[in-house]
Amino acid sequence: MDVKTIFLNDNIDETIYMVQPENFVLGDPKNMVCKLTKSIYGLQQESRQWYHKFHQVILSFGFEMNLVDNYMYHKFGGSKYIFLVLYVDDILLATNDIGMLHKTKRFLSRNFKMKDLGDASIVLGIQIH
C-alpha cells in the first residue's frame, strides 16, 4: 500500500520560519519571513513528523512496535497474525488471515489517503514469490 502526499499539509509541532518564496514577496524581503503552520515538501522535520503520526495511529489499532526495528509492527489475535513494514510512504502487509488484512487496509484508508497497490512482487529490490 502507498500513502499519498504524506508530507503535505501535515500539522507541525514546533515553530518554524522560512524566507519568503521567490514570487511571493510582501514588504521588505530581507526583514520578513513566513511562519509555517503546516508541513511543506522539503522540510527537514517532515519525516519525523510523519513517522510520529503514523506510529500513534497504528498503535491505536492494536499493533505493537517490533523491538529490533522501529518501522516494523505486528498484531496477534489467537492463531491469526499480521506484520506491517513501513518504508517512508510504502506499507507492506503480511498475514495468515485475509479478514485481518482487509480490516487493517480499511483502518489505514480511514486514517490516511491510501492507494492499494495489490500483491507485492518486489520490495526494495527483493523479489517475493
Side-chain angles (χ1 to χ4, degrees):
M1 294 190 77
D2 181 59
V3 186
K4 299 179 183 181
T5 62
I6 62 170
F7 298 131
L8 296 177
N9 301 316
D10 198 14
N11 294 326
I12 51 179
D13 297 334
E14 51 196 291
T15 303
I16 300 174
Y17 295 94
M18 64 177 265
V19 296
Q20 293 184 44
E22 272 184 37
N23 295 323
F24 179 83
V25 178
L26 187 62
D28 181 8
K30 293 180 184 177
N31 295 320
M32 302 286 283
V33 293
C34 297
K35 181 179 178 181
L36 298 180
T37 57
K38 297 281 186 180
S39 182
I40 60 172
Y41 191 78
L43 191 62
Q44 290 179 350
Q45 293 87 343
E46 65 191 352
S47 293
R48 184 181 64 225
Q49 290 289 129
W50 154 243
Y51 174 71
H52 179 71
K53 180 179 181 178
F54 182 84
H55 180 76
Q56 296 302 316
V57 168
I58 206 66
L59 290 181
S60 76
F61 191 57
F63 274 83
E64 296 178 27
M65 186 173 64
N66 184 287
L67 297 176
V68 177
D69 188 338
N70 293 340
Y71 300 98
M72 186 176 220
Y73 297 85
H74 60 268
K75 183 176 180 178
F76 298 103
S79 62
K80 300 174 185 178
Y81 59 84
I82 188 164
F83 292 93
L84 183 151
V85 180
L86 176 67
Y87 182 75
V88 186
D89 64 345
D90 294 322
I91 298 171
L92 178 66
L93 297 168
T95 183
N96 68 342
D97 183 74
I98 195 75
M100 196 175 232
L101 175 68
H102 290 306
K103 191 174 181 181
T104 302
K105 285 182 175 184
R106 282 192 302 272
F107 174 79
L108 290 169
S109 294
R110 280 194 309 270
N111 286 276
F112 305 104
K113 292 180 182 175
M114 302 291 299
K115 180 178 181 182
D116 190 343
L117 301 174
D119 292 344
S121 58
I122 296 178
V123 176
L124 299 175
I126 301 169
Q127 189 170 8
I128 300 172
H129 296 281

